[in-house]
Amino acid sequence: MGNPVMMKLQQWEVKGYYPHVPHLGNSMETGGGLQGLTDWIPATVPGSVHADLQRAGWIEDPYYGMNSLKCEWVENRWWLYSTTLNYKPGAGERVHLCFKGLDYKAHIYLDYQLLGVHEGMFGAVSYDITERLLTRQRECESGEAEESASLLRVLFEHAPDEMGQIGYTSRTSTQKSRFAYKWDFSTRLVPVGFWDEVCLCVTGQAAIDEVHLQPTVDRREGRLQVTSHIRTGEASGVYRCHAEVWDGETKVAEASGDYDVAAAGMAASTIALQIAEPQLWYPNGVGAQPLYRVVLTVTENGICSDRWEGMTGFRSLRWISNEGAGADVLPYTVEVNGERVYIKGVNLPPIDQQYGTVTPQRYEQMVSLMKEANINLVRVWGGGLIEKQVFYECCDRAGILVWQEFIQSSSGIDNVPSQHPRFLELLTHTAISALKVKRNHISLACWSGGNELTDAAGVPATYEDANLAMLQRLVEQYHPGAYFLPTSASGPNEFLNLEQPGRNHDVHGPWKYGGHEGHYELYNRSDSRLHSEFGVDGCCSMASMRRFLPEQELRVTSMRDSVMWRHHGEWWDTLERDTELFGPLERLEDYIQASQWTQAEGIRYALEANRRRQFSNSGSIIWQFNEPFPNASCTSVVDYYGEPKMAYYWLRKAYAPRHISLAYDKLVYAQGESWTAACYLHNSLEACAMEWRAEGLSLSGEVLWSQQGNAQLEANSCRKVAELRMNVDGNTPEIFLVRLQLAGEEANVYLFSTRRNPWLAPLLEQPEARLSAVLIDSCEQGSQAKRRYAVTNEGERAALYVKAEASGIAPLDFRSRHNYTVIMPGETVYFDIEYKPSQPPASADEAGGAAAVEDTGSEEGIGSGEAIRSEPEIVFTAMGSSRALLR
């Protein structure tokens, strides 16, 4: 929408009713007014009814324990929101009431007059209320109305009947996010209400309806075509359009054009601009992300009627065939500015189950976590959201390409895209709305019809499907030149299958660790062209568990034996797996460490194995980056509260621009066998010489063998540089490490066992680590505190997987970039830590610890006050040990 004047409507209250009651108003039998289920309570917009009810004391924290089961009545009620408008239109002004995200079916009233009924989450809707406001003003002046403010009320019907993860895709009937109806990473907690902003937009007679930016680069000359549409409130007129392009504070291009409006309605204008030698935009890890500000002004007789502002960048992007791929294989390699980019991706489900409560700050923090992990592409999953604008703006700035799916997903029983006429009508509206807005983001790399859609035989759906063919036509119409994939996985195999080589083009799965031999065979033999969804599950931290599990549930258990754990991670039980590897797990802390280690090991190996096949394999997209609901165990690498698991840090290393990796066949070796492995160097940057070292180490620090070299690597390449071998005999330690090191980079440490089952038990039988930590540097940069610690292992055994933790700081406000590092005896490792100091709560409500308040990243919880608490306690821990000594 245009924004010469845009006012957000934030002072709201909400009241609950049984279905249809507000439409009747008075009882047929008694004639008396029908009462609401609740009284009027304060409401936050955008937000969710659940969050409002929790603040008002109507429900308990739905993320704690099994409280969500006690909240399922909320989705089955009608909810009436109310606020007032007190704007008086000036001469020539038009006032539009704009709703950016209504969830799901809403009746909109102004002064008790119905403006309209809207269905669907993903299309903005606006109403011209100019005449209504002028009428109200006249009524006040004549004494016909006592109140000058107009009453705005929005009545949301109960959430529609829709399927969760299990059901029939062919019977899908809505464009509402399905994950909230129950998925493997979330409970059933179905939001209702405003999930995006409501505002008044005040313009002149002409208002900008849509803008399409089409930047191109040809031989270092940038061209920007700006097409805009306006809608007018008068019979005719000539309006002028002026476009400017700014590089920071410098205007680098401008041009003008005209709209010729013959009658009230719509008119279009296209302006072409040239930018000499623009700075090119690159994905994260390859180059910089310069952005240019575009300002579009619509004037009538020299007076501004409306104004639009957005950001763009200059880059070429296309999808090309993989190395060695046949003609029947879709293009899966992304090329930016003429250079192939290996995809280092993650899948993004919604950030919170109550997605309306996610603040811009929380989006920024999550995208920052992606950028720091060397991620360059995010797949916005089709069972979730077409995200708020702020998310794509963050991706533009961070250099993270966006693979955007339309809102369709598999259902298990059948995964066939719905052909129901009403569903296709809703899907069309969603798609057009998304295309018109998201196409302007330089990070947008491709569109997809949805998640895991198939034909009736279970084969991934193709462009021949009528539903997907319709979406393909819409992409061609509204975002010409953009790449459209029918679905992910696009097949022809749905899942990675070693028994059907040559058919694993774009595949999904597995989502479990395949065992100390099977996992490595699978990824060593994989011939996938693109692995767009797969992962390994692992527990969240003890600190996170304490936030959503009662004390009696903080124990080693399985999803089968505890309904509470089942409620928080049903599919992702790792106890049997971890017990087999590590032996009996009696302490919850040991179970968590074992679970996180196995997840990290499994994900790292898969990523590195795929990367060793660059560009026959064009990339990996891990399932999943985050989770919208707190789970005891899940496939996420960052938990609900924003705390990264061990897998996050190992993913970060595996995706590093310059990296060294180890290819091996298994984790466990018997006496008489030869341990063999191959060492690979990876380079995503320009050609360079890479000095490397590989060494085998015992846990006591003894060097079993070492090998080193210096290799010249071409730009954007991978190369095997060494074959490594060691005989396993009676002198070989039960546990030995292989440490790979590139000069100037973090070490990459692998672990192997020669012990009989349980193979990895010695890891949890380690003596107490003797660590010392010294603060050697500190500074403050704005609201951020930066610290450097020298952490030394003063013991006689390796300190395994050392991590820094801070007390009193929300996980999303704390960064330790070297967590889960192995420190050998006598060695010192430097930890760079950055955090935003915690701030005292302003009220008792903020101190309550409810997930929907502080832990979801709400403005209250992430600190809007100015008072700062004292310096937090920073501690360092190793696997199976207590805190480090600090001095």
Side-chain angles (χ1 to χ4, degrees):
M1 301 300 175
N3 58 349
V5 178
M6 183 173 287
M7 296 166 285
K8 297 178 183 178
L9 302 182
Q10 295 178 313
Q11 301 300 315
W12 292 85
E13 54 184 0
V14 65
K15 189 174 186 179
Y17 291 87
Y18 286 98
H20 303 287
V21 169
H23 281 163
L24 181 59
N26 287 23
S27 168
M28 294 173 58
E29 290 79 9
T30 70
L34 295 172
Q35 301 300 306
L37 171 69
T38 71
D39 295 323
W40 288 105
I41 60 175
T44 298
V45 174
S48 81
V49 169
H50 291 87
D52 296 333
L53 291 171
Q54 183 185 342
R55 276 187 289 266
W58 275 84
I59 62 173
E60 300 172 85
D61 175 6
Y63 298 170
Y64 185 81
M66 299 180 71
N67 286 344
S68 69
L69 298 178
K70 297 184 285 186
C71 300
E72 291 187 12
W73 62 270
V74 176
E75 68 189 70
N76 295 306
R77 304 297 183 265
W78 287 29
W79 297 96
L80 181 63
Y81 283 81
S82 179
T83 191
T84 56
L85 312 178
N86 200 7
Y87 186 82
K88 298 179 180 179
E93 286 184 346
R94 308 297 302 179
V95 182
H96 287 84
L97 177 60
C98 305
F99 300 93
K100 296 184 179 181
L102 297 168
D103 185 15
Y104 174 75
K105 186 174 183 180
H107 305 251
I108 300 154
Y109 300 87
L110 186 62
D111 290 333
Y112 302 102
Q113 294 184 4
L114 180 66
L115 297 180
V117 179
H118 178 79
E119 179 179 356
M121 284 180 57
F122 301 107
V125 61
S126 70
Y127 299 94
D128 187 336
I129 61 171
T130 311
E131 295 306 320
R132 179 59 246 172
L133 294 180
L134 290 173
T135 299
R136 184 73 175 181
Q137 186 174 340
R138 289 192 295 268
E139 290 173 349
C140 292
E141 292 171 352
S142 65
E144 296 179 38
E146 296 180 4
E147 295 290 338
S148 61
S150 290
L151 180 65
L152 172 63
R153 288 193 166 181
V154 181
L155 176 64
F156 288 93
E157 296 186 14
H158 59 272
D161 184 23
E162 189 50 274
M163 290 170 288
Q165 187 168 15
I166 308 301
Y168 301 82
T169 299
S170 61
R171 301 179 190 177
T172 303
S173 60
T174 73
Q175 278 288 279
K176 184 168 171 62
S177 295
R178 283 179 52 196
F179 85 99
Y181 288 82
K182 178 67 181 83
W183 222 264
D184 59 78
F185 51 76
S186 59
T187 187
R188 183 182 180 105
L189 188 69
V190 184
V192 179
F194 298 102
W195 80 279
D196 210 339
E197 294 175 348
V198 184
C199 55
L200 286 184
C201 182
V202 183
T203 70
Q205 289 299 317
I208 298 172
D209 187 67
E210 65 174 280
V211 176
H212 187 187
L213 305 179
Q214 294 174 280
T216 56
V217 181
D218 184 16
R219 298 180 182 178
R220 298 295 297 165
E221 180 181 46
R223 298 172 183 170
L224 178 63
Q225 180 173 292
V226 181
T227 301
S228 58
H229 292 78
I230 61 171
R231 47 192 163 85
T232 67
E234 58 185 21
S236 63
V238 176
Y239 296 89
R240 190 153 184 79
C241 178
H242 184 72
E244 299 175 345
V245 181
W246 293 77
D247 180 5
E249 300 301 316
T250 303
K251 187 191 299 182
V252 295
E254 62 179 325
S256 297
D258 291 325
Y259 305 97
D260 190 0
V261 184
M266 303 291 294
S269 174
T270 298
I271 297 174
L273 303 101
Q274 291 187 332
I275 296 89
E277 297 189 354
Q279 303 174 71
L280 297 183
W281 186 97
Y282 283 92
N284 182 36
V286 180
Q289 293 82 42
L291 295 175
Y292 292 79
R293 183 164 54 97
V294 181
V295 180
L296 186 67
T297 307
V298 177
T299 58
E300 181 184 17
N301 299 323
I303 299 174
C304 178
S305 182
D306 201 1
R307 184 176 183 273
W308 180 93
E309 186 172 313
M311 305 297 290
T312 193
F314 291 89
R315 53 99 172 122
S316 63
L317 185 149
R318 63 181 186 139
W319 292 77
I320 62 176
S321 295
N322 295 57
E323 289 182 358
D328 62 330
V329 182
L330 293 171
Y332 294 120
T333 298
V334 64
E335 180 190 81
V336 180
N337 300 326
E339 301 175 16
R340 291 180 297 179
V341 176
Y342 188 79
I343 293 172
K344 304 170 184 177
V346 289
N347 283 275
L348 184 87
I351 291 173
D352 201 290
Q353 187 112 14
Q354 298 178 73
Y355 33 79
T357 66
V358 182
T359 62
Q361 293 92 333
R362 196 171 179 203
Y363 278 113
E364 290 167 3
Q365 289 167 320
M366 295 299 283
V367 174
S368 174
L369 273 174
M370 292 182 198
K371 184 176 179 69
E372 291 170 11
N374 301 306
I375 289 161
N376 61 20
L377 182 143
V378 58
R379 173 177 168 240
V380 184
W381 171 70
L385 300 172
I386 294 172
E387 280 286 0
K388 297 179 185 178
Q389 275 294 92
V390 63
F391 171 75
Y392 303 90
E393 293 166 358
C394 289
C395 290
D396 291 342
R397 294 192 295 269
I400 297 177
L401 298 168
V402 176
W403 169 325
Q404 179 65 61
E405 295 196 331
F406 294 111
I407 304 303
Q408 300 190 99
S409 182
S410 60
S411 302
I413 299 175
D414 89 42
N415 307 312
V416 179
S418 174
Q419 309 294 333
H420 191 277
R422 177 54 178 161
F423 175 79
L424 294 179
E425 180 183 345
L426 290 167
L427 179 61
T428 299
H429 180 69
T430 291
I432 293 174
S433 298
L435 284 160
K436 285 183 177 181
V437 177
K438 310 313 180 192
R439 65 189 176 187
N440 289 331
H441 291 282
I442 200 64
S443 56
L444 200 290
C446 71
W447 299 88
S448 168
N451 173 65
E452 295 178 352
L453 305 174
T454 72
D455 63 18
V459 177
T462 69
Y463 300 113
E464 303 302 315
D465 180 272
N467 174 310
L468 301 179
M470 176 199 75
L471 290 173
Q472 184 179 34
R473 290 192 298 271
L474 292 175
V475 171
E476 291 171 351
Q477 178 181 353
Y478 291 96
H479 195 181
Y483 189 42
F484 174 77
L485 281 163
T487 185
S488 173
S490 53
N493 280 347
E494 176 83 356
F495 305 113
L496 178 60
N497 186 347
L498 298 183
E499 303 306 314
Q500 294 184 324
R503 293 179 55 83
N504 299 303
H505 299 176
D506 167 27
V507 290
H508 284 189
W511 295 268
K512 290 280 187 178
Y513 181 67
H516 62 84
E517 291 189 15
H519 192 80
Y520 307 93
E521 179 186 14
L522 178 73
Y523 289 100
N524 287 338
R525 290 179 53 196
S526 171
D527 64 344
S528 67
R529 296 299 186 177
L530 173 65
H531 211 161
S532 59
E533 184 182 316
F534 65 101
V536 179
D537 45 351
C539 287
C540 69
S541 70
M542 174 68 87
S544 291
M545 283 191 187
R546 290 190 184 280
R547 303 175 85 160
F548 65 86
L549 288 179
E551 188 68 29
Q552 65 270 21
E553 291 293 336
L554 295 173
R555 58 193 174 94
V556 177
T557 187
S558 69
M559 305 296 179
R560 179 181 58 253
D561 296 332
S562 169
V563 293
M564 188 79 73
W565 277 58
R566 194 183 312 160
H567 190 70
H568 290 269
E570 184 177 359
W571 291 19
W572 308 115
D573 193 338
T574 70
L575 182 58
E576 183 176 341
R577 174 198 79 184
D578 300 327
T579 300
E580 181 182 10
L581 288 170
F582 289 86
L585 298 165
E586 297 179 358
R587 298 171 63 244
L588 181 55
E589 292 86 346
D590 290 341
Y591 176 27
I592 290 169
Q593 291 178 333
S595 182
Q596 287 206 10
W597 185 90
T598 309
Q599 180 189 28
E601 164 70 14
I603 286 177
R604 174 178 65 176
Y605 197 84
L607 296 179
E608 291 180 340
N610 284 344
R611 194 173 177 185
R612 287 191 281 269
R613 297 187 292 113
Q614 170 184 330
F615 280 95
S616 171
N617 168 272
S618 59
S620 301
I621 310 178
I622 278 292
W623 185 268
Q624 62 203 88
F625 184 70
N626 59 296
E627 60 185 16
F629 182 75
N631 289 289
S633 180
C634 184
T635 49
S636 66
V637 298
V638 176
D639 74 21
Y640 170 73
Y641 302 102
E643 181 168 350
K645 301 178 185 178
M646 187 186 295
Y648 169 87
Y649 293 94
W650 289 16
L651 172 152
R652 175 176 168 267
K653 287 184 181 181
Y655 278 166
R658 290 190 172 122
H659 180 62
I660 184 169
S661 73
L662 193 67
Y664 46 96
D665 294 327
K666 56 183 181 177
L667 285 186
V668 180
Y669 292 82
Q671 288 194 26
E673 289 187 308
S674 289
W675 172 87
T676 59
C679 185
Y680 286 76
L681 302 184
H682 309 268
N683 179 29
S684 298
L685 304 174
E686 66 276 2
C688 66
M690 300 176 75
E691 183 181 343
W692 61 273
R693 178 181 178 85
E695 55 187 350
L697 301 166
S698 70
L699 291 178
S700 62
E702 177 189 1
V703 177
L704 306 175
W705 55 266
S706 67
Q707 195 168 334
Q708 58 189 6
N710 195 306
Q712 185 69 33
L713 251 69
E714 297 179 358
N716 207 10
S717 67
C718 171
R719 176 182 170 188
K720 182 167 76 170
V721 293
E723 293 278 358
L724 308 173
R725 180 181 297 272
M726 181 182 73
N727 291 327
V728 177
D729 55 29
N731 295 319
T732 306
E734 281 191 328
I735 299 292
F736 65 92
L737 309 176
V738 175
R739 181 163 65 179
L740 306 182
Q741 181 82 58
L742 286 179
E745 303 288 339
E746 294 180 61
N748 205 13
V749 179
Y750 301 83
L751 183 149
F752 300 91
S753 174
T754 66
R755 175 178 167 145
R756 292 185 177 180
N757 188 14
W759 307 284
L760 301 181
L763 298 186
L764 299 178
E765 298 168 355
Q766 285 279 92
E768 190 79 9
R770 290 169 52 198
L771 298 173
S772 67
V774 179
L775 177 64
I776 61 172
D777 192 18
S778 68
C779 67
E780 315 296 322
Q781 291 187 355
S783 63
Q784 296 297 108
K786 296 190 175 184
R787 306 286 185 263
R788 168 167 276 201
Y789 288 89
V791 181
T792 301
N793 181 0
E794 297 180 343
E796 298 177 353
R797 302 276 286 181
L800 298 177
Y801 316 119
V802 177
K803 64 177 292 194
E805 298 175 316
S807 60
I809 296 181
L812 278 171
D813 289 333
F814 181 79
R815 297 283 196 278
S816 175
R817 293 180 175 82
H818 303 96
N819 273 0
Y820 299 102
T821 295
V822 174
I823 308 179
M824 301 306 295
E827 290 185 343
T828 297
V829 171
Y830 295 97
F831 279 71
D832 292 319
I833 291 171
E834 183 176 326
Y835 60 89
K836 180 179 179 181
S838 292
Q839 299 161 353
S843 68
D845 288 342
E846 292 173 29
V853 182
E854 180 177 1
D855 300 334
T856 58
S858 67
E859 292 178 358
E860 298 96 327
I862 295 182
S864 53
E866 296 182 357
I868 296 178
R869 289 175 177 164
S870 59
E871 187 77 9
E873 181 184 20
I874 306 291
V875 299
F876 296 84
T877 61
M879 192 173 194
S881 72
S882 60
R883 297 178 175 185
L885 298 174
L886 292 160
R887 65 173 187 263

